[in-house]
Amino acid sequence: MGNKDLVLLVLIAVCVFEGCYCKTVTYDHRALVIDGKRRVLQSGSIHYPRSMPEVWPEIIRKSKEGGLDVIETYVFWNNHEPVRGEYYFEGRFDLVRFVKTVQEAGLLVHLRIGPYACAEWNYGGFPVWLHFIPGIQFRTTNDLFKNEMKRFLAKIVSLMKDADLFASQGGPIILAQVENEYGNVEWAYGVGGELYVKWAAETAVSLNTSVPWVMCQQEDAPDPIINTCNGFYCDRFTPNSPSKPKMWTENYSGWFLAFGNAIPYRPVEDLAFSVARFFETGGTFQNYYMYFGGTNFERTAGGPLVATSYDYDAPIDEYGFIRQPKWGHLRDLHKAIKQCEEFLISSDPTYLQLGKNLEAHIYYRTSNKCAAFLANFDSSLDANVTFNGNSYFLPAWSVSILPDCKNVIFNTAKVVSQRNLHGVSFSGTTSVNEFSLASSAWSWYKEEVGVSSNHSFIKPGLLEQINTTKDNSDYLWYTTSINVKESIAPGQEKEAFLHIGSLGHAALVFVNKRLVGFGFGNHEDASFNLSEKISLNQGDNTLDILSMMVGLQNYGPWFDIAGAGIYSVILADLKKSSKDDLSSGVWTYQVGVEGEYIGLDKISLANSSLWIQGNRLPINRSLIWYKATFLAPEGKGPLSLDLASMGKGQAWVNGQSIGRYWPAYLAPSTGCTTNCDYRGAYDASKCLRNCGQPAQTLYHIPRTWVHSGENLLVLHEELGGDPSKISLLTRTGQEVCAHVSEADPPPADSWQPNLEFMSQSSQVRLTCEQGWHISMINFASFGTPRGHCGTFNPGNCHANVLSVVQQACIGQEGCAIPVSTARLGDPCPGVLKSLAIEALCSY
Ligand code: GAL
C-alpha cells in the first residue's frame, strides 16, 4: 500500500467513524469530479449581506426549486474586518450560518474568498484601512498587501475548516476562488501583476482547502488553478489547459443599476440561450450572477453611484419574490439539461454543421445512445433543420434540447412558464397595500450649513476626500471665506462666477449659507464641473461646499487610489475679468455633517427635543432631517418605502440604514425599449427601461427590521423633497398567468425516455409564493384564446374551462393542468388549441 492509499484509507476511516459525508472534489477536462463522478452543475450567486439571515432559507429553497445545485458568494472583507484585527461575523455577515443554511438545503457552495470581490460593493470589498498602510500597493507584488491578503484568506479558510464546511470535511464547499477578474486589469500592473498572479495561486493552494481553486477571467492562471469565464456568453471559451473543465463563473442574469441610469434587463430567452449554448459546447458548470441580487443596505454599495437596489433583474427579485417567467423558464431549462447529464459527462461533444448559423452538438453514451443540442445562432432568421432523419423548427437565436437525440423537451425561445403580471414586486399592482405618512406625522431638524468648531480642522489647499474622511462618512465640508475688498454701495452685491472642479461624486455649494449650486457625476464618470453666478457682499463672505461620496469605486486598474472630492475652486470677477484661484488658499474641513455627529438616525434620539414638530412641515429644503413613526402593515412579507417625492439622501428604519436614495436623478430620456428583441448579442445597454425616470424610487425595508407598534423612520435629505408624499407598501397578492399550447413539450421533469413522447401532454402550471394560495381565476379558455397575459380574450374556438381550473387550483399554492382534450374537452376538433389562464395569488 502506497502513501496515497494510506491517506485515502485514513480519510475513509475518519469519515465513517465520525459519520460525516465527506466528499472528494477534483476535476478533469470535462467537469468537476465529486466523489469520483463528473458533475453538471447549475450555480447561482447570492451574496449573504444583501438580505437578512431570516430570509436566507426561503431564498435558498427557491433557488433549489429553480434547479440550482450550487450557491456562490463572495466574502466581504471590509465588513468582516472593519478595524484591522477586529473581526465581525454577526447578523447578515454571519458567513458560517449562511454556508450552513445552504448545506441544510442540500446545496453546494462556491466560496469566492477573493479577498477582492468587485461586486458593486464598497471599495470592491477591501477595507479602507488597508489603503492607509504606508507603502502598500493593492493587487500587485507588494509585501505589505500580500501579507494582509494572505492573513485574510487564511482567516476565512480556517473559519470554514473549524466549522467543517469544506467538502472533504462533509461540508458543502466544493470550490473556492482567489482574486477576481485580475486578468482584465493585469496589463496595468506590469511584471508585478504577473508575479502577483503566481503568488496568489501558490498562496491559495498552500491553504489546503482540499477543493479546487478557480481564478475567473485569468488566462494565465497557473496549474492547478482553473481559469474560468465571465461574460454574457461563454460558449467560445476554452480553459488554458486541456486538463481543466470549461466553467462559467459569471453569467449576468441582468445588470446592476446606478443612480441616474435607466434600468437594465435581460430577456430570459437570451439568458437561456446563452446557458444552453454553453452546455452544448462542452461546459459543465455555470453560475448566474446574480440569481438573487438583494439590497445594498447602509453604505455598502460600491461606486461610483451604484444604486441601493441590487435587484439585477435576477430570477429572484430584490425582495425575495420569484420573478416570472425568468425563474420558471430557467427551471425548465435546468431540468432539460439534467435529463442530459449522463450523456454530457460521458463524452466530449461531436460537432455537426446543419446550415448557415445552424449547428448541432451531440453527446454519446454509447454509439447509438445520445443527447443533442440543436442551435440556430442567427439573430433574425428562423430555420427548419434536419437532424437524425427528423425535421425540426428552430427559431432564430435559440437552442433545442433533445435528451434522446429525437424529442425536443425544451427550446430556449419558447417560454411556457407562468408569467407574473406587473413585473416588479411593488410597482403598479392592485395587490399592494399603501400606507401614507401624512404631514402631521413628521418632525424635522434643520442642520447647520458648514463646519462646527468642535469637529473642524484647517489645512492649506484642497484635500482629496477619501484620504480625509477615511470613508467614515459620505460627507466632507470644504469651507473658506471670500473677502471682497472693494467698496460696494449699501444694498448692492458684487456679482462673480464660481468655477468648481470635482473628482466626484456630488456637491452642494453654499455662499453665505445660501444654496447656490448642486453638481454631480454619473456611474461612468463621477467627476464634474460646476459654474455658478454668485453674489457677494463687501467684506467677508462664506463659501461652504459639501462634497458627497456615493459609494467607493470597486472596479478597474488601481481603482483603490482613484480620488474624490473638490480639486479646484476659482472665482472669476465679472467686471475686471480677473481670476482668483482659491484652490491653494486656506480651507477649513469637517468630516461628516452635523446630524451625524448628533446621531439623529439613532433610536435613542427619537424623542429628543431637537426634533421640531408643527403644522408647517418644511419641504424642498436642503440639509434637513425628517423623522416619523409608522405602524408596520400586517403580514410577514417585506416592505417597501416609496421615496419618489424625495431628492437625495440616506434613510434609516429603527436605527438601521436602508441605504442611500436619489430619486431626483433622472435617467437619460432616450435609449429604452419596451419590447427588447432578445435575438442577437446582448450587452448591458441593449435592453433598458424607465428612461427619463429615477433609477430607484422604492427602497427595501426588511420585515425583520420592523416590529409591532411604532417604528421609527429617519431621513437625511440633502437636496430637498416632500416627505408628506412618502408611502409604505406591502404586497398582498400577485396576478399570474400562463398560455400553453398542445404542441408545446411536456414539462422536462416528466420526461421519461421509455414513455412514448407524444402521449405526454404539455401543462399549464401555476405557482404562488410559499404561504400564498390561488384565490381567484380571472380567465380560463381552452381553444384559440387571443391576447397576452393581462389582456386575454376568448378566440373563435373556446371551451369555458373555468370550473375545471377553479376546481384544480382554488385554495392551492399551485396547480398543474394538462393541455389535453382528454381533460378539457374538444371545442374544435382538428384545430391546434391552447390553454390560457389568469389567476390571483393572495396572501
Ligand atoms: C464583474 C465582477 C463582478 C461584478 C460584475 C458586474 O466584472 O467580477 O463582481 O462587479 O462585473 O455586476
Side-chain angles (χ1 to χ4, degrees):
M1 190 158 58
N3 272 352
K4 243 166 104 188
D5 299 330
L6 193 70
V7 169
L8 200 71
L9 200 72
V10 170
L11 205 70
I12 292 169
V14 169
C15 293
V16 170
F17 190 70
E18 304 235 315
C20 77
Y21 298 95
C22 303
K23 292 188 197 79
T24 59
V25 188
T26 55
Y27 63 81
D28 65 14
H29 85 286
R30 273 304 284 139
L32 287 180
V33 177
I34 302 181
D35 282 341
K37 189 170 181 200
R38 286 179 182 160
R39 296 290 302 273
V40 170
L41 297 168
Q42 304 293 347
S43 171
S45 296
I46 299 176
H47 298 155
Y48 50 101
R50 286 177 157 140
S51 63
M52 299 300 127
E54 290 78 3
V55 298
W56 292 344
E58 171 81 0
I59 292 166
I60 292 164
R61 179 185 65 76
K62 287 173 177 168
S63 310
K64 188 179 183 183
E65 280 171 21
L68 297 194
D69 309 290
V70 181
I71 301 298
E72 175 276 334
T73 183
Y74 285 119
V75 175
F76 300 93
W77 186 4
N78 50 354
N79 292 79
H80 289 308
E81 198 178 350
V83 176
R84 189 172 185 276
E86 289 176 24
Y87 295 102
Y88 181 81
F89 290 98
E90 307 291 315
R92 62 186 211 283
F93 291 96
D94 190 341
L95 176 59
V96 168
R97 176 169 170 186
F98 180 76
V99 175
K100 284 189 172 165
T101 309
V102 177
Q103 181 177 28
E104 278 153 23
L107 297 186
L108 305 168
V109 171
H110 173 202
L111 197 66
R112 301 169 92 187
I113 310 179
Y116 167 61
C118 193
E120 289 68 68
W121 193 261
N122 198 39
Y123 215 32
F126 284 131
V128 176
W129 54 255
L130 203 61
H131 171 73
F132 293 95
I133 295 177
I136 201 163
Q137 285 188 322
F138 287 19
R139 302 179 83 196
T140 185
T141 183
N142 169 288
D143 285 343
L144 296 161
F145 178 77
K146 290 195 296 189
N147 289 342
E148 294 299 314
M149 171 164 164
K150 184 172 181 184
R151 187 174 56 78
F152 186 72
L153 281 172
K155 168 84 191 169
I156 296 301
V157 167
S158 65
L159 187 74
M160 297 298 107
K161 280 188 186 170
D162 291 349
D164 291 333
L165 293 175
F166 283 106
S168 58
Q169 303 172 291
I173 304 173
I174 54 154
L175 203 60
Q177 174 174 297
V178 60
E179 248 295 338
N180 186 75
E181 291 193 339
Y182 189 71
N184 292 358
V185 296
E186 194 173 331
W187 57 270
Y189 296 82
V191 187
E194 286 167 35
L195 294 172
Y196 169 63
V197 170
K198 292 205 181 76
W199 170 84
E202 278 160 21
T203 304
V205 171
S206 75
L207 294 169
N208 291 324
T209 58
S210 70
V211 299
W213 285 89
V214 303
M215 281 180 151
C216 60
Q217 295 287 87
Q218 194 68 57
E219 256 175 57
D220 56 350
D223 296 346
I225 312 270
I226 307 168
N227 66 310
T228 65
C229 180
N230 290 351
F232 290 110
Y233 306 93
C234 279
D235 47 292
R236 303 223 165 128
F237 170 80
T238 32
N240 65 12
S241 145
S243 67
K244 297 175 186 176
K246 174 170 169 174
M247 294 174 68
W248 189 0
T249 33
E250 289 182 22
N251 177 9
Y252 307 108
S253 55
W255 198 244
F256 66 87
L257 181 63
F259 289 125
N261 287 1
I263 303 176
Y265 64 96
R266 185 175 186 191
V268 70
E269 293 91 339
D270 174 60
L271 183 56
F273 172 77
S274 72
V275 174
R277 285 290 279 163
F278 182 71
F279 287 93
E280 175 192 341
T281 53
T284 46
F285 178 104
Q286 181 266 149
N287 176 72
Y288 297 100
Y289 187 101
M290 303 293 294
Y291 195 75
F292 161 77
T295 310
N296 295 312
F297 297 110
E298 303 176 87
R299 299 192 299 118
T300 58
L305 276 82
V306 169
T308 296
S309 167
Y310 202 62
D311 178 83
Y312 225 92
D313 195 29
I316 302 177
D317 75 17
E318 178 183 6
Y319 294 87
F321 292 119
I322 284 173
R323 171 173 277 121
Q324 298 284 30
K326 197 168 252 188
W327 182 91
H329 192 51
L330 297 176
R331 174 205 52 201
D332 296 347
L333 166 66
H334 302 150
K335 285 182 174 159
I337 294 173
K338 265 269 130 71
Q339 294 281 11
C340 305
E341 177 158 10
E342 293 305 321
F343 298 91
L344 292 173
I345 61 176
S346 298
S347 67
D348 291 338
T350 304
Y351 167 81
L352 188 68
Q353 173 139 25
L354 300 173
K356 183 167 179 253
N357 294 340
L358 297 164
E359 63 191 25
H361 284 83
I362 308 143
Y363 290 90
Y364 290 95
R365 265 184 99 171
T366 58
S367 60
N368 60 356
K369 279 204 157 54
C370 60
F373 292 73
L374 311 185
N376 176 356
F377 51 95
D378 197 283
S379 55
S380 58
L381 297 177
D382 297 342
N384 284 303
V385 298
T386 307
F387 171 72
N388 246 356
N390 296 313
S391 97
Y392 298 89
F393 173 67
L394 283 180
W397 208 253
S398 83
V399 178
S400 282
I401 299 178
L402 293 66
D404 57 354
C405 271
K406 182 175 169 212
N407 291 298
V408 175
I409 59 164
F410 185 85
N411 176 275
T412 56
K414 182 84 200 122
V415 178
V416 297
S417 153
Q418 138 187 356
R419 293 167 190 269
N420 287 355
L421 268 69
H422 315 292
V424 186
S425 270
F426 281 94
S427 63
T429 113
T430 47
S431 326
V432 163
N433 271 350
E434 237 184 275
F435 299 78
S436 60
L437 297 160
S439 331
S440 58
W442 292 94
S443 317
W444 67 92
Y445 178 85
K446 178 74 191 82
E447 100 188 322
E448 286 294 322
V449 168
V451 306
S452 79
S453 52
N454 297 348
H455 307 290
S456 61
F457 56 91
I458 296 171
K459 285 269 157 138
L462 291 167
L463 298 180
E464 192 282 320
Q465 184 151 353
I466 305 169
N467 283 310
T468 312
T469 63
K470 300 187 162 60
D471 199 34
N472 287 317
S473 165
D474 277 359
Y475 310 107
L476 180 62
W477 278 110
Y478 292 75
T479 293
T480 193
S481 71
I482 302 170
N483 188 266
V484 176
K485 295 204 176 68
E486 66 205 70
S487 59
I488 295 171
Q492 296 287 303
E493 287 176 322
K494 172 190 161 127
E495 291 199 323
F497 254 107
L498 194 59
H499 301 288
I500 296 176
S502 170
L503 294 172
H505 305 158
L508 288 164
V509 183
F510 300 83
V511 170
N512 293 326
K513 308 289 173 188
R514 285 219 330 267
L515 183 64
V516 297
F518 174 54
F520 50 94
N522 56 48
H523 173 70
E524 285 68 35
D525 180 7
S527 68
F528 59 91
N529 295 313
L530 247 183
S531 289
E532 299 291 341
K533 195 171 175 185
I534 59 167
S535 302
L536 298 169
N537 304 320
Q538 186 175 335
D540 276 344
N541 296 267
T542 55
L543 171 63
D544 297 290
I545 305 170
L546 182 63
S547 179
M548 309 185 271
M549 303 277 308
V550 190
L552 264 61
Q553 193 157 327
N554 60 268
Y555 182 72
W558 302 105
F559 75 86
D560 50 296
I561 49 173
I566 310 297
Y567 66 85
S568 151
V569 180
I570 291 166
L571 188 70
D573 189 317
L574 287 181
K575 280 200 193 122
K576 292 192 221 149
S577 70
S578 65
K579 280 187 182 161
D580 191 2
D581 190 347
L582 307 177
S583 315
S584 51
V586 171
W587 290 80
T588 305
Y589 292 91
Q590 178 179 299
V591 175
V593 291
E594 189 198 4
E596 289 179 311
Y597 283 104
I598 302 174
L600 288 175
D601 53 309
K602 306 268 175 329
I603 300 179
S604 54
L605 261 69
N607 296 320
S608 157
S609 58
L610 287 167
W611 291 107
I612 300 167
Q613 207 172 6
N615 297 335
R616 292 199 44 211
L617 176 71
I619 60 168
N620 298 330
R621 297 277 300 270
S622 62
L623 294 186
I624 185 160
W625 292 71
Y626 292 107
K627 181 201 84 154
T629 55
F630 65 92
L631 296 177
E634 272 175 32
K636 290 194 204 134
L639 306 170
S640 181
L641 198 62
D642 186 342
L643 296 178
S645 64
M646 301 306 289
K648 174 184 186 304
Q650 295 179 48
W652 294 261
V653 169
N654 293 326
Q656 305 269 13
S657 164
I658 63 166
R660 302 185 184 95
Y661 64 84
W662 194 349
Y665 196 168
L666 304 184
S669 56
T670 55
C672 285
T673 41
T674 25
N675 269 320
C676 186
D677 188 349
Y678 66 82
R679 300 172 309 169
Y682 179 83
D683 64 61
S685 60
K686 183 179 173 188
C687 304
L688 301 173
R689 56 184 180 83
N690 262 34
C691 279
Q693 306 280 318
Q696 189 182 355
T697 54
L698 301 177
Y699 293 82
H700 178 196
I701 305 178
R703 178 58 76 162
T704 48
W705 281 357
V706 299
H707 44 69
S708 59
E710 291 202 328
N711 293 281
L712 176 69
L713 172 63
V714 174
L715 306 174
H716 177 224
E717 174 57 47
E718 299 155 5
L719 295 182
D722 182 354
S724 71
K725 300 212 171 75
I726 291 176
S727 60
L728 189 65
L729 311 178
T730 175
R731 249 266 295 266
T732 55
Q734 171 73 60
E735 289 163 273
V736 300
C737 57
H739 190 180
V740 178
S741 150
E742 287 176 306
D744 286 327
D749 46 348
S750 65
W751 155 257
Q752 287 171 33
N754 303 327
L755 270 188
E756 185 43 48
F757 187 66
M758 286 311 152
S759 70
Q760 306 169 46
S761 62
S762 55
Q763 281 181 12
V764 163
R765 288 186 294 173
L766 299 175
T767 324
C768 299
E769 292 288 333
Q770 194 180 34
W772 299 26
H773 58 271
I774 298 171
S775 57
M776 209 182 342
I777 305 295
N778 296 328
F779 181 88
S781 171
F782 180 56
T784 53
R786 297 197 197 106
H788 298 285
C789 272
T791 62
F792 285 136
N793 271 304
N796 290 337
C797 165
H798 163 70
N800 187 346
V801 290
L802 190 66
S803 62
V804 182
V805 175
Q806 280 172 334
Q807 223 165 40
C809 302
I810 294 285
Q812 307 292 320
E813 208 168 275
C815 56
I817 299 175
V819 185
S820 76
T821 48
R823 180 72 196 274
L824 303 169
D826 196 344
C828 46
V831 175
L832 182 67
K833 289 170 283 293
S834 61
L835 174 62
I837 304 180
E838 196 183 303
L840 178 68
C841 291
S842 301
Y843 178 64

